Amino acid sequence: MPGTSDVIYLYDGSFEGLLCCVHESVYTHELPVDIQPEEAAQPTLFRQKYIAADEEKAARVYDSIPRKISPDAAALVQCVFLSCMPGKELAILRFLLLGYQRGRQTMYLLSHTAVQPMLAARQNLLNEAHLLKEFLRFSDYDGALAATITPKNYVLPFLKEHFCSRLKNETFLIFDRTHKAALVWQDRKARIISLDTLELPPATAEELRYRVLWKRFYKTIAIAARENPRCRMTHCPKRYWENMLEMEDELRRTPDSLDALPAAAPALLPQKEGHYGAQYSFPRLP
């Protein structure tokens, strides 16, 4: 295994860029003290080295993982890269260096200091993706469904199959406000795009009416005598509440009434297609 060196690798933040950092470490026989995206790097006394992304080098490293370690290791590396694990880049490098030494047995070293954090990061991501399959709430805007989420991990690729298979006849968008990305499903085609912000126009009167009915259903099935706020937050963490319709009254004190609903509301999506900026219109997918 390479010896520790007083250098910090900087890369462009992409998965390919990180694999190029692995390539640099292996072939220069140095273990950096850290690996950071260039845009997030802070001034430091350590020497910094920028590692440029190279498709050929990245492909060589990625192809070597299932061949020299296992296909499960390759999937684990991809999963951890999408996680919110602090220092995930250096953790991935340490894991791969161990894997190149130990081979297929690496995935069975569950308590090893280079393996256990990787498994924990993957489990954290998968748990959050599982919870969002339950806590994600769509609203209907003139025939198009839209939902907003604020996850800690980059979970859109793990939500894709679930929602696209169940809503295959719909047009929908799931906006990840944390990572400024969106999953778009239209004409039975899916893609994940970069999206800075998403501003939704006011909901229609019919949509508002359904929202009130859903809140009323949620309150009706509750058993007041068995209310347990601590237990509820255990099964439904509070950080998900901001995007859950039925929790709006508790967080924002909004009224729950069928009265005084607007007679009409503008359509959700502008007809103009263009830059994915302040507003988004569903594009025609190629």
Side-chain angles (χ1 to χ4, degrees), residues 2 9 20-30 61 93 96-97 100:
Y9 286 175
C20 289
C21 292
V22 176
H23 184 280
E24 181 74 12
S25 176
V26 170
Y27 285 94
T28 60
H29 302 284
E30 66 180 7
V61 173
L93 173 60
L96 290 177
L97 292 177
Y100 291 146

Side-chain angles (χ1 to χ4, degrees), residues 119-158:
L119 299 177
R122 178 179 64 179
Q123 192 60 49
N124 179 268
L125 182 147
L126 295 179
N127 286 345
E128 185 170 45
H130 174 72
L131 289 175
L132 282 171
K133 291 174 184 178
E134 303 178 37
F135 300 148
L136 186 146
R137 299 291 183 261
F138 283 106
S139 291
D140 189 336
Y141 296 90
D142 196 23
L145 302 178
T148 300
I149 57 176
T150 50
K152 294 181 179 180
N153 301 281
Y154 191 78
V155 297
L156 287 180
F158 300 88

Side-chain angles (χ1 to χ4, degrees), residues 136-200:
L136 186 146
R137 299 291 183 261
F138 283 106
S139 291
D140 189 336
Y141 296 90
D142 196 23
L145 302 178
T148 300
I149 57 176
T150 50
K152 294 181 179 180
N153 301 281
Y154 191 78
V155 297
L156 287 180
F158 300 88
L159 299 178
K160 178 180 174 182
E161 181 179 355
H162 176 84
F163 287 105
C164 291
S165 63
R166 285 160 176 76
L167 303 174
K168 58 185 176 182
N169 294 322
E170 303 288 345
T171 297
F172 69 80
L173 177 148
I174 301 175
F175 176 49
D176 182 345
R177 187 181 300 154
T178 305
H179 301 92
K180 300 186 184 303
L183 168 63
V184 180
W185 173 260
Q186 186 179 28
D187 297 334
R188 293 181 178 245
K189 296 180 181 179
R191 65 175 176 175
I192 297 176
I193 63 173
S194 297
L195 185 61
D196 294 333
T197 59
L198 177 68
E199 295 182 5
L200 298 173

